[in-house]
Amino acid sequence: MQEKECTDIWRRYQAGKDHHNRTNMYTQAEKCHRFYEGDQWHGLQAGDEELPMLNFIKPICRYKIVMVAMNDTAILFSPMDNDPKKAEICEALTAFAAAQWEKGKLDSKKWAVVKNACITGDHYLYCFDERTPSESVVTDMTPRLKMRLIDKTALYLADEQEPNLEEQEWIIIAERVPVENVRRQAKDNGLPEAEIRRIVSDEADETQLGVTGADEVQTDSGKCTSLLFMRKTDGGVAFCRSTQAVVYQPMQTIRGLDVYPVCGMRWEEKMGSARGVGVVERLIPNQIEVNRTLARRAICVKRYSFPTVVYDQDKLLAPEKLGVVGASIGVKNLNANPVGSFVQYLSPAPISGDAANLQAELVGTSRELEGAGEAATGQVDPTKASGEAIKAARDQSAISLNEQSAAYKQFVEDLAMIWYKLWVAYSVRGLRLADGTLLPHAELEALDVDIKIDISPIDPYSVLSRELSLENALAQQHITFEEYVEALDDNSGVPKDKFRAILDRRRGAAPEQSESGAGQNIGPGGAAGAFSPEGALPGMELVGGGVPGGLPGTGMPVQGGAGLFPGDGPGDGVGKGGGNGSRVWKKRKAPAFAGLITKSADGVTFLMLRK
C-alpha cells in the first residue's frame, strides 16, 4: 500500500518536473534572480578581464517592491450579520491576528513574497500548526502557527492552467531535508526498520532554485528530496510526506480544514497559466544589450582614446622607459636632430557618441515603460515641494501598480482565511487567545466571517501629511490634545510616547490636587476659594482705590511672583524684593473691614476698607 502510494506521489512529482522543464521554468527563474542580483555575465569566459555592467533592473524592481510592500497591513474580522456576540468574537480574533502577525514576523516575510513575485512572477507561503491534529490538541488549546516561504519552482500543481489554488486536485511541495531528520520522523511515525533503511540521500537537481549538489554541505548521510503531498477530501485536507521510495508519514486528514494551507501572490497574470509574470523577465534583453554596448565602449576607449607612442628603436637606448614617469632616456647620435624626430605620439581617434546615446536611450526608455522613470520614483527635492504635493505625485505614479497592490491585498486575505480555518480545525475544545480568553469551538465553527484588509501607507511623506492634518485640526480646536496624541501614528516623528507619559502624569496628579483642595477654608460665600477680606488679607494694607500697597498700577505685570496675595511669590511678603527686581508687600497691621464688596461701572471689583 505504501509502495503504491509512494510511487503515485513520486510519479506526480516527476510529471510536474517534466512540465516545468518544458516551460523552461527552472532556468528562467534562476536567470531572473541572477540578473536582479547583478550576476549578468554569468558563464562568460573573459579571462582576467572584468567586464563592466550597468544594472538598471534592480532599481526598477526595488521601486515597484517598495510601492507595494511599504504599507502597514492589518487584518480585520467582522461578522456577516449584526449579532453583538459574533461581533465580540470577531474583535477578539482581530486582536489575535495582529499578535500572530507580529509573532510570525510577517512584516519581513511580506517583503520576501512581494520581492520574489516581482522577480520571478509568483511566490507562495505555506502555513501549518505545530500541534499534532489529534487528542493532544485537547490539552494544548493555544495555536502555534508557523509560516514558511515556498519558491515557485518548489510548488507542483495538478493543473498548471488553473490559477485558483483551491480548485487544484492536489498540491506537492518539494524540499531538501537531511536524511537523519527524515529517518527520525519515520521512526516516530512507527515505520519498521526495513522501511527506514530505504530512506537514502539523492542528488540535488535543477528543481531547487539556486542549489546544486556542490552547494550542499557534504555529510555522512546527506540530504534527500522530501515531498509534502496534499489533497482535498470530504472530511478535510489530507496530507502525507514521502521520499522517492518510502512514505515516511502516513496519510492523515485534518477534519474541518476545507482550504489548502498555501497562499500565493502573482505579480502579473499570464493567460492560460497558473503562474505569474515578473518584471525581470521582460527586461533581460534590454539589460543584455546595455551591458554589451557598455563593454564595447569600454574596450574602444581603452584601445583608441589614449595617445600611442611611436619611436625610432635604433636611436633610443632604453625605449621601455617611455612609460616611466621622470625617467632619463639616452639617445644615439642626437647631433642637431630634434628629439621629436625620434619620438612622436599618435593622437587618439574620435569616438562616435551614437553608442552612448543608444545606451542612455535603452536605460531611459526601459525605466519609463516600466513606470519607474525619474519622475515616478520620487526623486523630488523635499525642500522645494510640500508633503502633500510629493504624496500626490507619488500616488499618481503608483496608478500603474494598482494590479499588484490588489494582488498583495488578496494574498493577505487568503492568509487570514487560512489562519481562521486552522484555528477552527485544530481548536476542537476551544481557542485560547493571548490574553487567556477561551473561545468555544462551536461558536468559532458557526461564525461566518467577513475578512477585510486595512492597508495604510507608511512612507515619510504620507506620515508627514497625516501629521499636518492632525496639527491643523488641533490648531483650529476641532480636536483636543488628548485626541491628537491618540491619533498619531506609531512611526510618527512626533514623540507620541512622551506625550502619553505627560498626559498620564497629569491624570495621576489631578486626583491629588482635588483631594488637597478639599481641605482648604471655605469663604463666607460658601464656595471653596471664595474671597474673604479677613481670611485672605491678614496683615496686608490696601490703599487708594483698593489696590494693595506696593503693587504696580493697573495693567502692569507683577514680576517675581505668581500670585496676587502674600505668600504666592518669592519673598513671601518680607523685605523689599525677591532678588530679581520684583516688588513684594510689607507686612502691616491688619485693616478693619468697612463695607461690602462693590463693583464699579467698568466691571472692576473694589473693597471698601479703611485703616
Side-chain angles (χ1 to χ4, degrees):
M1 176 64 182
Q2 288 185 351
E3 181 68 22
K4 183 178 184 301
E5 188 71 25
C6 171
T7 304
D8 291 342
I9 295 175
W10 198 263
R11 185 183 301 115
R12 291 166 180 166
Y13 168 64
Q14 289 291 346
K17 286 177 58 178
D18 294 340
H19 172 272
H20 290 359
N21 283 318
R22 288 195 306 270
T23 58
N24 204 24
M25 180 186 295
Y26 300 123
T27 305
Q28 191 66 33
E30 186 177 358
K31 187 177 182 180
C32 289
H33 276 284
R34 287 203 312 266
F35 269 79
Y36 174 81
E37 294 167 0
D39 185 14
Q40 299 178 354
W41 291 104
H42 180 77
L44 179 66
Q45 300 297 329
D48 296 334
E49 185 74 19
E50 292 290 341
L51 296 179
M53 178 193 62
L54 183 61
N55 188 0
F56 67 85
I57 289 181
K58 193 167 187 176
I60 293 176
C61 292
R62 295 180 70 174
Y63 164 72
K64 291 176 176 287
I65 294 168
V66 167
M67 293 300 295
V68 175
M70 194 174 65
N71 295 292
D72 269 340
T73 306
I75 299 175
L76 306 177
F77 291 95
S78 60
M80 299 297 291
D81 52 21
N82 296 324
D83 189 349
K85 180 64 175 178
K86 294 181 179 179
E88 184 178 352
I89 295 176
C90 287
E91 290 181 2
L93 290 179
T94 298
F96 191 62
Q100 184 63 58
W101 185 277
E102 294 294 332
K103 186 177 180 180
K105 297 179 175 57
L106 266 300
D107 280 329
S108 62
K109 285 185 173 65
K110 74 174 183 179
W111 283 91
V113 171
V114 176
K115 174 184 174 181
N116 286 279
C118 178
I119 295 174
T120 61
D122 49 288
H123 205 67
Y124 301 90
L125 192 69
Y126 167 56
C127 307
F128 62 96
D129 197 309
E130 287 187 327
R131 298 177 295 173
T132 304
S134 63
E135 291 300 321
S136 64
V137 182
V138 176
T139 58
D140 187 2
M141 293 177 288
T142 302
R144 296 201 302 270
L145 297 183
K146 297 293 182 180
M147 276 69 67
R148 183 180 301 167
L149 296 170
I150 304 296
D151 292 325
K152 66 179 299 182
T153 57
L155 188 77
Y156 299 87
L157 306 175
D159 186 359
E160 285 288 348
Q161 285 71 47
E162 176 55 57
N164 188 1
L165 294 179
E166 300 303 325
E167 299 296 329
Q168 297 289 336
E169 180 184 356
W170 51 262
I171 295 177
I172 293 178
I173 297 177
E175 55 185 349
R176 297 287 295 174
V177 184
V179 173
E180 291 298 330
N181 293 352
V182 177
R183 289 177 176 176
R184 188 182 306 110
Q185 295 182 37
K187 185 176 181 180
D188 295 339
N189 292 324
L191 265 69
E193 287 296 330
E195 290 294 313
I196 295 177
R197 286 195 297 269
R198 296 176 61 193
I199 301 175
V200 294
S201 62
D202 52 23
E203 291 293 333
D205 51 19
E206 73 280 358
T207 60
Q208 300 297 320
L209 189 61
V211 178
T212 62
D215 297 328
E216 294 182 346
V217 178
Q218 302 300 320
T219 59
D220 295 337
S221 57
K223 287 185 175 182
C224 64
T225 300
S226 173
L227 305 179
L228 171 60
F229 176 80
M230 295 178 286
R231 68 183 177 191
K232 287 186 177 181
T233 63
D234 294 337
V237 174
F239 72 96
C240 67
R241 296 181 184 272
S242 170
T243 62
Q244 184 175 2
V246 179
V247 177
Y248 65 91
Q249 184 173 3
M251 189 70 71
Q252 302 181 50
T253 301
I254 304 178
R255 300 293 177 182
L257 183 63
D258 55 358
V259 297
Y260 285 118
V262 180
C263 56
M265 175 183 174
R266 295 188 301 163
W267 186 261
E268 190 173 319
E269 293 184 359
K270 184 178 182 180
M271 182 176 295
S273 175
R275 309 293 178 154
V277 180
V279 176
V280 178
E281 182 177 351
R282 55 177 174 259
L283 291 176
I284 288 178
N286 288 9
Q287 180 67 72
I288 292 175
E289 186 59 35
V290 167
N291 290 344
R292 287 176 176 175
T293 303
L294 183 61
R296 295 188 189 106
R297 290 178 59 200
I299 294 173
C300 186
V301 168
K302 290 179 182 179
R303 290 181 178 178
Y304 308 113
S305 294
F306 300 94
T308 303
V309 62
V310 179
Y311 61 92
D312 187 347
Q313 59 182 359
D314 295 332
K315 299 295 184 181
L316 298 183
L317 296 178
E320 65 276 2
K321 294 185 178 181
L322 287 173
V324 180
V325 179
S328 300
I329 303 175
V331 181
K332 295 179 181 179
N333 302 324
L334 182 61
N335 297 330
N337 296 323
V339 178
S341 62
F342 304 149
V343 180
Q344 292 184 1
Y345 287 88
L346 299 180
S347 300
I351 300 177
S352 174
D354 293 341
N357 295 335
L358 174 62
Q359 176 186 319
E361 183 179 358
L362 282 173
V363 175
T365 305
S366 299
R367 295 187 62 177
E368 291 295 337
L369 290 177
E370 289 295 328
E374 292 185 359
T377 52
Q379 297 178 3
V380 182
D381 187 359
T383 62
K384 298 180 180 180
S386 64
E388 287 292 338
I390 296 175
K391 181 174 176 292
R394 186 214 61 188
D395 293 342
Q396 177 66 27
S397 63
I399 291 178
S400 61
L401 294 173
N402 285 345
E403 180 182 356
Q404 286 71 37
S405 299
Y408 169 71
K409 186 176 180 181
Q410 185 61 49
F411 161 75
V412 180
E413 288 182 3
D414 295 341
L415 176 63
M417 180 57 69
I418 292 173
W419 284 0
Y420 169 70
K421 294 294 184 179
L422 287 174
W423 292 339
V424 174
Y426 277 78
S427 303
V428 294
R429 293 298 178 91
L431 173 66
R432 190 176 302 279
L433 303 180
D435 58 357
T437 305
L438 183 63
L439 299 180
H441 175 75
E443 295 182 0
L444 279 175
E445 192 175 20
L447 189 64
D448 188 10
V449 296
D450 178 30
I451 300 175
K452 297 180 180 179
I453 307 300
D454 182 21
I455 296 178
S456 303
I458 57 174
D459 61 282
Y461 298 120
S462 297
V463 174
L464 176 62
S465 176
R466 290 194 291 269
E467 290 177 4
L468 293 178
S469 300
L470 291 174
E471 290 176 2
N472 292 335
L474 178 64
Q476 297 176 11
Q477 299 182 355
H478 296 308
I479 59 175
T480 64
F481 181 70
E482 289 79 2
E483 294 172 337
Y484 165 78
V485 173
E486 291 301 323
L488 287 172
D489 296 322
D490 292 334
N491 60 339
S492 172
V494 180
K496 181 177 181 178
D497 295 337
K498 293 183 178 181
F499 281 154
R500 276 181 173 175
I502 293 173
L503 292 175
D504 292 340
R505 287 197 299 268
R506 287 182 179 178
R507 295 189 188 101
E512 298 178 1
Q513 293 179 357
S514 61
E515 292 175 1
S516 61
Q520 295 178 354
N521 294 332
I522 300 179
F531 185 82
S532 172
E534 295 89 344
L537 301 173
M540 185 181 75
E541 178 182 10
L542 299 183
V543 296
V547 180
L551 190 67
T554 305
M556 298 178 61
V558 182
Q559 300 182 2
L564 178 63
F565 300 110
D568 286 345
D572 200 17
V574 181
K576 288 189 176 182
N580 57 354
S582 61
R583 300 181 62 186
V584 296
W585 308 330
K586 294 182 179 180
K587 192 171 182 180
R588 303 290 180 87
K589 183 179 180 181
F593 180 61
L596 298 175
I597 300 175
T598 61
K599 194 171 185 179
S600 63
D602 57 357
V604 180
T605 302
F606 292 93
L607 300 177
M608 303 300 294
L609 303 176
R610 64 178 177 82
K611 296 183 180 179

